[in-house]
């Protein structure tokens, strides 16, 4: 497995990865999440052109997972991470996160942040146990994270408990 920035040609593949990865939410009664469409090609292209879209690729250089980020309040916020189910449970997502953490540390960025579902095994529990994230208290939320949570609520994601998490990288 290798990690590199994404190419514009593979952006439709990133959408396919997210759709496939989202299907597992149907198994736990979160059909709305499973049915949610990935970011548009235009949105993904903005991340790709800005150098904020990475892929984990197999030996044939085919994307099997991706991660996109936003700068939020001086940290790197993981906007989306998706691993194709055919590549799940092999440390691919963790490798992407570790790659971004190393880049952040090298650039003097203090932390990674993300928002995720509290009660989904491969979300908050996984990020805490395997990836070094901790849940933030309400008092620890930065203005940018509060804005993200409001946007998520507007999108209906607050139907299930959500949490903001942080991984210090410095």
């Amino acid at each position: 497995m290798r990690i590199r920035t994404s190419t514009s040609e593979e952006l439709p593949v990133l959408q396919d990865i997210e759709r496939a990865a989202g299907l597992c939410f149907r198994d736990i009664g979160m059909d709305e999440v499973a049915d949610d469409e990935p970011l548009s090609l235009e949105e993904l292209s903005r991340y790709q052109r800005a150098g904020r879209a990475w892929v984990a690729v197999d030996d044939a250089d085919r994307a099997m997972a991706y991660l996109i980020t936003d700068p939020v309040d001086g940290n790197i916020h993981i906007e989306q991470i998706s691993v194709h189910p055919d590549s799940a449970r092999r440390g691919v997502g963790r490798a992407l996160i570790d790659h971004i953490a190393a880049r952040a540390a090298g650039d003097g960025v203090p932390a990674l942040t993300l928002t995720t579902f509290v009660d989904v095994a491969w979300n908050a529990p996984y990020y805490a146990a395997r990836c070094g994230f901790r849940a933030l208290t309400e008092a620890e939320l930065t203005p940018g994270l509060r804005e993200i949570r409001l946007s998520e609520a507007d999108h209906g994601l607050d139907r299930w408990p959500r949490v903001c998490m942080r991984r210090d990288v410095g």
Side-chain angles (χ1 to χ4, degrees), residues 39-120:
L39 292 177
S40 70
L41 291 176
E42 182 179 316
E43 291 168 305
L44 287 171
S45 180
R46 280 196 292 273
Y47 283 98
Q48 187 270 326
R49 287 191 317 270
R52 294 187 282 118
W54 289 267
V55 290
V57 297
D58 63 17
D59 292 339
D61 202 42
R62 289 183 304 246
M64 52 187 171
Y66 82 96
L67 180 148
I68 57 176
T69 65
D70 283 316
V72 175
D73 300 324
N75 297 310
I76 294 177
H77 183 76
I78 298 172
E79 172 58 30
Q80 179 67 37
I81 182 169
S82 292
V83 178
H84 194 282
D86 293 345
S87 299
R89 299 186 172 335
R90 297 183 195 164
V92 175
R94 185 171 57 241
L96 274 166
I97 291 170
D98 289 345
H99 178 81
I100 298 307
R103 288 182 61 95
D107 291 342
V109 175
L112 303 180
T113 60
L114 57 79
T115 59
T116 193
F117 294 109
V118 171
D119 298 323
V120 175

Side-chain angles (χ1 to χ4, degrees), residues 1-168:
M1 175 186 57
R2 189 169 58 90
I3 296 172
R4 61 168 171 74
T5 55
S6 68
T7 65
S8 59
E9 296 78 23
E10 69 195 348
L11 296 180
V13 174
L14 304 188
Q15 290 178 314
D16 292 342
I17 290 169
E18 187 171 343
R19 283 186 192 103
L23 292 177
C24 57
F25 284 96
R26 191 173 314 287
D27 296 337
I28 60 170
M30 296 173 72
D31 292 358
E32 293 89 344
V33 175
D35 294 337
D36 192 39
E37 277 297 304
L39 292 177
S40 70
L41 291 176
E42 182 179 316
E43 291 168 305
L44 287 171
S45 180
R46 280 196 292 273
Y47 283 98
Q48 187 270 326
R49 287 191 317 270
R52 294 187 282 118
W54 289 267
V55 290
V57 297
D58 63 17
D59 292 339
D61 202 42
R62 289 183 304 246
M64 52 187 171
Y66 82 96
L67 180 148
I68 57 176
T69 65
D70 283 316
V72 175
D73 300 324
N75 297 310
I76 294 177
H77 183 76
I78 298 172
E79 172 58 30
Q80 179 67 37
I81 182 169
S82 292
V83 178
H84 194 282
D86 293 345
S87 299
R89 299 186 172 335
R90 297 183 195 164
V92 175
R94 185 171 57 241
L96 274 166
I97 291 170
D98 289 345
H99 178 81
I100 298 307
R103 288 182 61 95
D107 291 342
V109 175
L112 303 180
T113 60
L114 57 79
T115 59
T116 193
F117 294 109
V118 171
D119 298 323
V120 175
W122 62 90
N123 279 199
Y126 174 82
Y127 295 127
R130 301 284 179 110
C131 299
F133 284 86
R134 67 175 179 82
L136 296 175
T137 66
E138 188 69 24
E140 292 176 295
L141 298 184
T142 63
L145 290 175
R146 288 180 193 284
E147 187 175 313
I148 289 168
R149 289 291 293 118
L150 286 173
S151 176
E152 291 175 346
D154 288 345
H155 195 68
L157 292 178
D158 274 10
R159 179 173 170 201
W160 305 275
R162 301 235 346 132
V163 66
C164 292
M165 301 185 83
R166 176 185 172 110
R167 173 179 168 174
D168 293 325

